Amino acid sequence: MLLTVEGLSKRYKTNIVVDNIEFDIQPNQCVALLGPNGAGKTTTLQMLSGLLKPDSGQITFQGCKNIDRTQIGFLPQYPSFFPWMTAVEFLYFAGKLSKMEKGKLKDKINNVLHFVDLHHAKNKKIGGFSGGMKQRLGLAQALIHEPKLLILDEPVSALDPTGRRDVLRILEELKKKTSILFSTHILHDAEQVCDEIIMMKAGKVKWSGSIKRLKERTRNGYFFLKTEGDIKSWLSKKDYIREANFSNSSTVTFKLTSNQYCNCLLEDCIKQEITIIHFEERSGTLEDAYMEVMR
């Protein structure tokens, strides 16, 4: 196991921000930390990165309780830069803070700037960088010392669609050689790049596991029905139908109060002389699963 968190808690005066949470991360695993504002995500990431001291609990990294912080890279939600520095100067500064050897640092800076697609701007002042360029530079400083675990706090929240796509592309490449834990509000991003999901609400972990297992929580009872006739006028009135989502008058995704009513639905369609074009059970989306867990 790469990282193990046991009984981790943090409070500010009487406000419990993180409440006795537990989870683990395996090597070469990409994990998304999901949850609403105030769930405790940022505080959790700051404790894992060493910026905050837990009130209680234990963090074990590669089997050791005394964590070598040089093995962890961290990108805060709002990274700070020295605007008068160039990208090369900033990464040299970050590398020295990580106690990297001076002889290896120059080559590593060039490599990491190529990786985040900033080599063309390596000698430009950071003050003239766009938001997307700054976020990629932030990723570069988190990667410069080749950490075993990369922790990212809302890495795409302030980016436009192009910048967001660039960062997600980089994460896809990174997860081939390092473990990643990142928080996000965007479920699609988590689904696109992650293997595992951790969901937090009010300081507690509500779910921890694979996206596949999470979706299976909402599988039973979700159905898709497409017909030749109008079904909206009568189907929504049936007691056994709930959460009906009509795309149009003849197409609906819905949930049954119990799967035993599946035959009742088909019998009612026959009674209404409705021709069924397509009928199938469907797995829930990540959004469905998220809403169910948060309820």
Side-chain angles (χ1 to χ4, degrees), residues 159-166:
L159 300 182
D160 61 24
T162 300
R164 183 168 143 250
R165 186 178 64 244
D166 289 343

Side-chain angles (χ1 to χ4, degrees), residues 30-43:
C30 185
V31 181
L33 185 60
L34 304 178
N37 290 332
K41 302 188 301 298
T42 293
T43 300

